[in-house]
Amino acid sequence: MRELTQIRQEIDEIDDKLVKLFSQRMKCSAEVAENKRGTGKAIYDPEREKQKIEVLTKGEENPFMKKATEEIFLQLMSISRRYQYSILSREDHYIQKNFVEVDHLDINEDTKVVYQGIPGAYQEEAMVKYFGEDVKNFSVPEFKDVVKTLDAGEADYGVLPIENTSAGTVSGIYDMILDYDICIVGEETVECHHVLAGLPDSSLDQIKKVYSHHQGLLQCKKFLDQWDWDQVKVANTAISAKKVADDKDPSKAAICSKRAAKLYGLKILQREVNYEGNNTTRFVIMSKKKQYRTDARKVSISFSAPHEVGSLYNILMHFMFNDVNMCNIESRPLPGRQWEYGFYIDVIGNLNDPAIRNALAGIREETKDFKILGNF
Ligand SMILES: C=C(O[C@@H]1C=C(C(=O)O)C=C[C@H]1O)C(=O)O
């Protein structure tokens, strides 16, 4: 048996050759990029990569080595592609064509904002926090109506809830944003301290039925589990407060904000019924104008990944390679494509940053249904 130092000496010599060969291969890759610039051919050529793997692994009998060779060459080709994106993305005008960079959002005395629900809704609170008390605004009954209103150009901005610290993603909002040509231009958070509110002459022991938005019921699950009340979902927490006030039935209560309880003349039967102390909802500010602020710090994208081993891993490598930090990932079932998923990802950065442009250029080419949802 050879001495360890002797074996390591051979490994060092092999690695030395590998590094030189790798560098030589990457120079070829850069030349391919120049060639593709001239011909307009896509950087990613999956057919060529498939053929290469077949040829390179054909003679290998050992299953471990066959898999290992495949893995190392897939990785090599992925690095080679990223190198080409870094060369060509400087000339990629996708972002300039689709988005306008602005110093600040256009918000003035004529700006009109739409939110879902009725006065007293948390959406209204988010709107006031973002745009100020005096902003012109109106509300619509359903989340979908916010998106439709923006699309029809009947409002400048719209407010939609996107996720909550205790109940997670607000289902369906991402899908709605995708269905329309609108983008996220801002975000706002509101601490949701829910109360249980009833008629002024009601008390906790009289309650039989409780109304709230689905999220409100979820966020107060631990409190509600202690009681044998019927739970009824309505479109909005403020609507639940209005319903209890309108029905004038002391056995009914609402889970809503303190603000909504006060607005509809209800008595607070119990405070802080949400189980997480700092229960917070994140809202997005939507606009039909495709714009991003120079100081925006979060980019949101969506895409669908091919149903193949390692496909999401390869896509996420674009972020790692460009030193881009990911802060959120969500997956949603793709309509009509059973067990296939679309992904929504938030990363830290601005669309004017070369690293972000590089990463997005690669992801755009290697995924389906790619969309930049916004930079905010
Ligand atoms: C280098 C090329 O670009 C990409 C990278 C490949 C590689 O590194 O071998 C192969 C195919 C392409 O996806 C090429 O098209 O030949």
Side-chain angles (χ1 to χ4, degrees):
M1 208 201 318
R2 286 193 291 172
E3 289 289 322
L4 179 65
T5 44
Q6 214 181 347
I7 313 169
R8 282 186 173 170
Q9 200 179 339
E10 188 177 339
I11 287 183
D12 288 347
E13 283 163 22
I14 295 170
D15 287 348
D16 201 43
K17 285 184 200 152
L18 279 178
V19 166
K20 289 196 178 84
L21 285 172
F22 176 60
S23 162
Q24 198 180 336
R25 192 184 198 282
M26 290 296 270
K27 280 197 188 111
C28 289
S29 183
E31 217 180 314
V32 168
E34 298 300 336
N35 181 287
K36 286 175 178 168
R37 170 191 280 134
T39 59
K41 198 174 179 309
I43 290 175
Y44 183 33
D45 186 342
E47 201 42 49
R48 159 86 177 154
E49 293 197 9
K50 198 168 144 235
Q51 280 166 5
K52 280 214 60 77
I53 296 293
E54 267 165 27
V55 171
L56 291 163
T57 57
K58 206 169 61 194
E60 185 56 71
E61 298 291 330
N62 178 336
F64 181 89
M65 282 304 291
K66 204 177 177 73
K67 190 78 198 132
T69 310
E70 174 179 341
E71 204 174 306
I72 201 134
F73 275 91
L74 281 176
Q75 199 58 24
L76 266 184
M77 291 189 286
S78 153
I79 293 169
S80 140
R81 265 183 270 131
R82 273 180 248 135
Y83 191 37
Q84 295 179 41
Y85 293 124
S86 76
I87 296 169
L88 297 185
S89 72
R90 275 171 247 137
E91 300 145 36
D92 177 17
H93 300 299
Y94 178 83
I95 287 166
Q96 288 99 310
K97 269 191 220 147
N98 287 284
F99 286 87
V100 180
E101 184 175 350
V102 294
D103 283 341
H104 50 263
L105 295 180
D106 190 13
I107 300 171
N108 54 51
E109 64 275 16
D110 294 325
T111 298
K112 250 192 291 168
V113 184
V114 58
Y115 68 95
Q116 180 263 347
I118 54 173
Y122 285 108
Q123 280 90 310
E124 189 207 29
E125 222 165 301
M127 175 190 71
V128 167
K129 210 170 156 196
Y130 193 85
F131 293 96
E133 286 283 355
D134 299 331
V135 71
K136 284 186 187 151
N137 67 81
F138 61 99
S139 63
V140 288
E142 303 286 337
F143 288 147
K144 187 118 194 158
D145 300 324
V146 171
V147 184
K148 282 186 184 162
T149 305
L150 286 176
D151 193 55
E154 289 159 10
D156 303 294
Y157 300 101
V159 182
L160 286 172
I162 196 101
E163 64 170 332
N164 174 271
T165 47
S166 41
T169 307
V170 183
S171 79
I173 298 285
Y174 274 120
D175 304 344
M176 244 179 257
I177 299 174
L178 264 195
D179 285 346
Y180 289 86
D181 200 23
I182 55 173
C183 78
I184 308 173
V185 290
E187 67 176 346
E188 189 57 80
T189 54
V190 171
E191 275 192 34
C192 303
H193 297 284
H194 299 309
V195 299
L196 182 80
L199 292 178
D201 58 349
S202 178
S203 58
L204 210 52
D205 53 355
Q206 292 183 60
I207 302 304
K208 291 199 173 67
K209 212 174 208 177
V210 61
Y211 294 85
S212 193
H213 182 261
H214 177 55
Q215 282 269 332
L217 296 172
L218 279 179
Q219 291 158 25
C220 302
K221 189 176 177 307
K222 283 187 191 154
F223 168 75
L224 291 170
D225 282 351
Q226 301 167 26
W227 304 90
D228 195 21
W229 299 333
D230 284 344
Q231 296 177 21
V232 184
K233 287 180 209 163
V234 291
N236 188 284
T237 53
I239 286 174
S240 69
K242 184 169 185 304
K243 175 153 181 61
V244 170
D246 290 348
D247 288 1
K248 298 192 173 57
D249 177 347
S251 72
K252 291 180 177 178
I255 283 180
C256 59
S257 67
K258 247 191 298 182
R259 182 185 163 107
K262 191 167 169 222
L263 202 67
Y264 297 101
L266 299 182
K267 180 171 89 177
I268 295 176
L269 302 174
Q270 178 104 23
R271 290 180 189 278
E272 293 287 342
V273 285
N274 38 283
Y275 62 84
E276 199 194 288
N278 52 2
N279 183 38
T280 303
T281 300
R282 186 163 70 90
F283 295 85
V284 285
I285 312 297
M286 308 296 307
S287 148
K288 194 176 164 69
K289 268 197 210 157
K290 298 286 198 67
Q291 51 186 321
Y292 67 96
R293 295 188 332 268
T294 306
D295 63 352
R297 50 173 295 280
K298 216 190 252 180
V299 180
S300 200
I301 63 164
S302 71
F303 57 83
S304 59
H307 202 48
E308 288 163 16
V309 176
S311 74
L312 184 62
Y313 168 85
N314 273 318
I315 293 159
L316 298 185
M317 284 295 282
H318 285 283
F319 292 130
M320 199 191 106
F321 208 80
N322 286 290
D323 221 7
V324 170
N325 191 11
M326 220 170 84
C327 53
N328 190 19
I329 180 164
E330 291 287 335
S331 65
R332 300 272 309 150
L334 289 175
R337 281 150 67 181
Q338 206 178 21
W339 311 127
E340 284 194 50
Y341 294 86
F343 293 92
Y344 299 92
I345 290 181
D346 289 345
V347 292
I348 300 296
N350 192 283
L351 288 176
N352 61 22
D353 174 357
I356 292 279
R357 287 191 177 200
N358 246 345
L360 298 190
I363 295 174
R364 194 177 92 231
E365 193 170 310
E366 293 174 17
T367 58
K368 280 191 281 181
D369 314 312
F370 176 83
K371 189 171 174 186
I372 298 175
L373 301 178
N375 186 193
F376 45 97

